[in-house]
Amino acid sequence: MWWGGRGQSFNIAPQKAEPDVGSQPGFPPSLVGEQILAWAPGVRKGLEPELSGTLICTNLRVTFQPCGWQRSQETPLSSEYDFVLVNIGRLEAVSGLSRVQLLRPGSPLKFIPEEILIHGRDFRLLRVAFEAGGLEPQAFQVTSAIVQARAQSSQAQQYAGISLSKAGQSSGSRKPPIPLLETSEDWETERKKQGARGWRVSTVNERFDVATSLPRYFWVPKRTLDSEVRRAFGHFHQGRGPRLSWHHPGGSDLLRCGGFYTASDPNKEHIRAVESMLQAGHSDVVLVDTADELPSLTDVQLAHLKLRALCLPDSSAAEEKWLSALEGTRWLDYVRSCLRKASDISVLVTSRVRSVVLQERGDRDFNGLLSSLVQLLSAPEARTLLGFQSLVQREWVAAGHPFLTRLGVTGASEEAPVFLLFLDCVWQLLHQFPAEFEFSEFFLLALHDSARVPDTLTFLRDTPWERGKQSGQFNSYTQIYTPGYSQPPAGNSVNLQLSVWDWDLRYSSEQILQFHNPGYDPEHCPDSWLPRQQPSFMVPGPPSSVWLFSRGALTPLNQLCPWRDSPSVLAVSSRWLPRPAISSESLADQEWGLPSHWGACPLPPGLLLPGYLGPQIRLWRRCYLRGRPEVQKGLSAPTISGLQDELSHLQELLRRWTPRVSPEDHSKKRDPNTILSQSH
């Protein structure tokens, strides 16, 4: 069926798609292989000012093109107007005041819509009202095309990747903005940067024959041979043995590993190799049960679904009960739990010279979250823009976090947005310590949204092996496959040389400027925060001491491994472990013997200890309430003009409230946040 508009015509049948979008005058710059399916004139509503333009459906995305607005040819993907098909979480057609149809992939449209609402899985909302006057067929056609495109965009097709035309022309000579840790040289440079003299880069997994979920290179103790590494890693879940995540300048080491294979039967040499790697040259070793006190993957997924439903504009929660409903999602509770545990581990790393080992059965979810948060709390260089990107690349991407599965792209039951939970934790730190971070909330939003946009390999695969296989890095290698992991999807249209950190391919220069925090204190120089020697506040641990950190307390252990004559504590399921009572003192009190308020004693240099009680943990409104623009007013803006606009808005709120305040109210203390929330 053919429909025309503005002197153009098209056929929405998938087998007879129109030419590339870029060949159509007035449409946005094309992506490689992109084809128009349908379009219709409309008005973007819900935000001020309302914009007239064109709603376009292609085989890759739904986009709104405002009249008279020209995108840069260098940034054909817009974070404001584009919805990649796989990022559409909910699609609604509206006619009149009461007729609403929820459009699932493949479902037929029952009426000609007057409006269409596109809810992104990243909490964005695009609301477009269609123009009348004989153009109703186009409205019906573009809405039907979106439904069909969602149904036909299979995972294999969509997650072969979206390729940017500019990137395709220059990717061969383009240097990544940060090291992607795909070569041994990258790892060696990072090791020297951290000052980890007791560690070296191991090449034992260069062909992924130890574990496909591990990077090709990682750090192991200097005196440990690769043959010992191979033997030791075989006794850990998925072959993910102990390796260095971060070396503290004071001398401590933060390690991560999978759970022990307690059913294996290692000989004495294997046990010695495992113990040597866990100790990492230290006499004091702390094993951290990562899963303890943190939510399960199912809990995280359920909380995120409840949060997303609550934040929709048509949420069924009554306004006066909205905060109670927010509490009922448990999302903020899980953010609080993560921050508290990360704070305790930061104290463990900072207070004594020791080896702190994060142990999680799969070593691919909360180990990465806690390791990243510990570094943000303890190392100012991780709070810079480049430092944070390097941190995410190392602890999440290179470490094998299963992005594709956790973000629900594969349709597997293990969906759980752990990475998005981490970004919320980072936003809490940014909110509590605004002068300590070089990057802004807008950078976190860009990273949050990029996890849903399939334009690079960064978030398109579950393992480094799949990512490298897709890019053709090691086609000549003979691969040894890890059970439980499927081969990567076919397709070669993705940007093989690009990463999510190539922001200039998707964001304008003006948007990238907003990535920088205007309140960042440049006096926080990463190179001078702590000397590369053991500082006076760090003391060696007791000789040959082994501890289990669980429930906020340290419990002594007789041994490190579960294969000795007497079973180790970690060889037993955590639910059968004795539960030490949580001390009324914080871990900082126990370690330093300081009062909880720290009195006149300053924190160790570079260490941040966030608050996580009650109202100290807040809702990330600019992210989760983007579909409710009336709530966005009053949030801090990154520019002078934006601050002036918000100042005017606040002054207007005060003007409205002043006549309502009775004389006796002036004597009472009023919470400005309460006043503003009530006015909304």
Side-chain angles (χ1 to χ4, degrees):
M1 183 180 296
W2 292 83
W3 295 98
R6 298 190 182 183
Q8 296 183 3
S9 61
F10 53 85
N11 183 356
I12 70 158
Q15 68 272 20
K16 296 181 180 180
E18 281 294 292
D20 285 353
V21 179
S23 64
Q24 303 272 355
F27 286 126
S30 67
L31 305 171
V32 174
E34 187 171 25
Q35 297 173 324
I36 293 176
L37 301 180
W39 61 272
V43 178
R44 189 196 69 177
K45 304 180 73 69
L47 297 174
E48 295 181 1
E50 294 183 350
L51 295 177
S52 298
T54 305
L55 183 67
I56 308 166
C57 175
T58 78
N59 59 323
L60 298 177
R61 57 175 165 169
V62 177
T63 182
F64 182 78
Q65 178 77 3
C67 293
W69 180 67
Q70 294 294 329
R71 307 185 196 209
S72 169
Q73 293 289 334
E74 298 179 353
T75 55
L77 275 176
S78 167
S79 61
E80 184 175 3
Y81 298 116
D82 287 335
F83 283 76
V84 178
L85 291 176
V86 293
N87 189 27
I88 298 177
R90 181 175 174 181
L91 184 66
E92 295 175 308
V94 180
S95 179
L97 297 177
S98 59
R99 197 172 187 185
V100 179
Q101 181 183 354
L102 178 62
L103 299 173
R104 295 181 172 85
S107 62
L109 182 59
K110 299 178 180 179
F111 53 83
I112 296 177
E114 296 178 4
E115 287 189 8
I116 184 173
L117 281 74
I118 302 173
H119 299 272
R121 301 179 70 200
D122 54 9
F123 294 89
R124 288 187 299 144
L125 171 66
L126 179 62
R127 177 185 170 195
V128 177
F130 296 111
E131 296 182 5
L135 297 177
E136 290 83 358
Q138 283 184 268
F140 185 91
Q141 199 71 7
V142 72
T143 305
S144 299
I146 296 174
V147 175
Q148 294 177 25
R150 291 183 67 199
Q152 295 170 2
S153 61
S154 66
Q155 297 156 6
Q157 291 172 332
Q158 283 294 323
Y159 274 76
I162 291 180
S163 200
L164 307 184
S165 54
K166 178 193 174 186
Q169 298 169 4
S170 61
S171 61
S173 59
R174 187 180 180 90
K175 183 180 179 181
I178 63 166
L180 300 182
L181 299 177
E182 294 175 347
T183 66
S184 59
E185 290 78 14
D186 287 348
W187 286 90
E188 178 64 16
T189 300
E190 181 65 24
R191 184 195 67 81
K192 292 179 178 178
K193 183 179 178 182
Q194 293 190 15
R197 297 185 180 89
W199 299 80
R200 67 176 180 86
V201 178
S202 172
T203 60
V204 69
N205 196 44
E206 193 168 31
R207 296 175 181 266
F208 292 93
D209 53 354
V210 172
T212 58
S213 65
L214 283 176
R216 299 171 66 191
Y217 311 100
F218 44 78
W219 297 312
V220 298
K222 204 170 190 177
R223 296 183 178 180
T224 304
L225 302 177
D226 276 353
S227 58
E228 295 175 310
V229 173
R230 185 182 296 273
R231 290 195 296 266
F233 275 42
H235 300 291
F236 289 85
H237 186 68
Q238 295 180 3
R240 299 180 66 91
R243 60 209 184 280
L244 178 67
S245 277
W246 177 59
H247 175 76
H248 189 279
S252 289
D253 291 310
L254 180 65
L255 286 71
R256 60 186 289 183
C257 66
F260 291 120
Y261 266 143
T262 55
S264 64
D265 186 21
N267 58 34
K268 292 182 179 180
E269 290 184 0
H270 291 192
I271 293 177
R272 278 197 295 267
V274 170
E275 291 180 337
S276 174
M277 298 187 70
L278 291 171
Q279 290 174 326
H282 297 278
S283 60
D284 189 20
V285 183
V286 179
L287 294 176
V288 178
D289 183 3
T290 301
D292 183 53
E293 297 183 281
L294 294 186
S296 67
L297 294 177
T298 302
D299 292 335
V300 173
Q301 171 65 2
L302 182 59
H304 193 261
L305 289 176
K306 290 181 177 179
L307 178 67
R308 196 163 64 193
L310 180 64
C311 292
L312 289 174
D314 59 351
S315 172
S316 59
E319 185 175 352
E320 63 272 12
K321 296 182 179 180
W322 198 88
L323 292 179
S324 298
L326 174 62
E327 183 180 356
T329 67
R330 301 296 306 278
W331 181 260
L332 296 185
D333 289 336
Y334 299 154
V335 171
R336 182 178 293 108
S337 299
C338 293
L339 286 176
R340 172 167 182 148
K341 186 142 192 171
S343 299
D344 286 346
I345 298 171
S346 299
V347 172
L348 289 173
V349 172
T350 309
S351 60
R352 299 285 193 278
V353 178
R354 53 167 52 121
S355 171
V356 178
V357 184
L358 304 179
Q359 188 165 41
E360 178 188 24
R361 185 175 186 274
D363 182 35
R364 301 176 67 187
D365 293 294
F366 288 105
N367 267 6
L369 182 146
L370 290 176
S371 176
S372 301
L373 289 179
V374 168
Q375 294 177 58
L376 284 170
L377 292 175
S378 308
E381 63 260 36
R383 303 170 207 150
T384 64
L385 189 56
L386 289 178
F388 182 74
Q389 293 176 99
S390 298
L391 174 68
V392 173
Q393 183 70 26
R394 184 175 71 252
E395 298 297 332
W396 293 87
V397 181
H401 176 69
F403 286 104
L404 217 56
T405 298
R406 294 293 181 256
L407 293 176
V409 178
T410 62
S413 59
E414 295 87 2
E415 180 179 355
V418 179
F419 182 66
L420 305 186
L421 178 65
F422 163 69
L423 293 182
D424 197 322
C425 293
V426 178
W427 178 84
Q428 303 289 339
L429 298 178
L430 178 60
H431 180 77
Q432 294 190 28
F433 305 99
E436 300 284 345
F437 291 84
E438 185 184 23
F439 53 87
S440 70
E441 177 183 18
F442 290 91
F443 172 76
L444 292 179
L445 278 173
L447 190 54
H448 178 280
D449 296 347
S450 296
R452 305 286 191 184
V453 180
D455 58 349
T456 69
L457 279 176
T458 305
F459 300 135
L460 280 182
R461 299 292 179 261
D462 277 346
T463 67
W465 171 74
E466 291 178 358
R467 199 173 291 112
K469 183 72 173 178
Q470 180 68 38
S471 67
Q473 286 182 333
F474 42 83
N475 287 338
S476 61
Y477 291 168
T478 300
Q479 303 301 325
I480 306 298
Y481 302 104
T482 297
Y485 289 93
S486 59
Q487 295 193 21
N492 55 10
S493 62
V494 75
N495 303 307
L496 305 182
Q497 307 297 326
L498 301 178
S499 71
V500 69
W501 316 119
D502 292 288
W503 298 110
D504 58 330
L505 295 179
R506 285 173 290 122
Y507 289 82
S508 66
S509 300
E510 292 76 13
Q511 289 174 313
I512 294 176
L513 285 176
Q514 294 186 10
F515 289 178
H516 295 266
N517 175 18
Y520 175 65
D521 186 356
E523 295 297 324
H524 300 157
C525 178
D527 294 331
S528 63
W529 73 281
L530 201 61
R532 290 290 178 183
Q533 301 92 23
Q534 179 178 316
S536 58
F537 70 87
M538 294 187 71
V539 296
S544 301
S545 57
V546 181
W547 307 86
L548 171 68
F549 181 71
S550 177
R551 291 214 161 208
L554 289 169
T555 304
L557 297 177
N558 294 327
Q559 60 194 44
L560 268 174
C561 299
W563 304 292
R564 296 289 190 185
D565 295 335
S566 58
S568 167
V569 174
L570 288 183
V572 187
S573 175
S574 60
R575 64 192 179 98
W576 300 112
L577 295 178
R579 293 297 190 185
I582 299 179
S583 173
S584 59
E585 292 183 319
S586 69
L587 191 59
D589 300 340
Q590 301 172 44
E591 287 290 333
W592 281 299
L594 299 175
S596 57
H597 56 79
W598 290 94
C601 299
L603 283 174
L607 178 64
L608 304 178
L609 290 183
Y612 42 77
L613 301 177
Q616 292 175 307
I617 302 299
R618 302 197 174 194
L619 179 69
W620 189 3
R621 292 196 295 164
R622 199 184 289 276
C623 179
Y624 303 137
L625 298 179
R626 281 183 284 182
R628 304 175 69 172
E630 72 279 2
V631 184
Q632 296 298 317
K633 292 183 178 180
L635 300 180
S636 59
T639 63
I640 298 298
S641 60
L643 290 173
Q644 290 174 339
D645 292 341
E646 294 191 359
L647 177 60
S648 300
H649 173 70
L650 294 174
Q651 289 173 337
E652 176 63 19
L653 287 177
L654 290 175
R655 185 188 65 77
R656 294 178 185 176
W657 268 90
T658 300
R660 305 182 191 179
V661 180
S662 59
E664 58 270 18
D665 287 338
H666 286 290
S667 61
K668 301 178 182 178
K669 292 184 178 180
R670 300 293 302 276
D671 183 0
N673 294 325
T674 303
I675 294 176
L676 294 179
S677 62
Q678 290 174 349
S679 67
H680 290 323

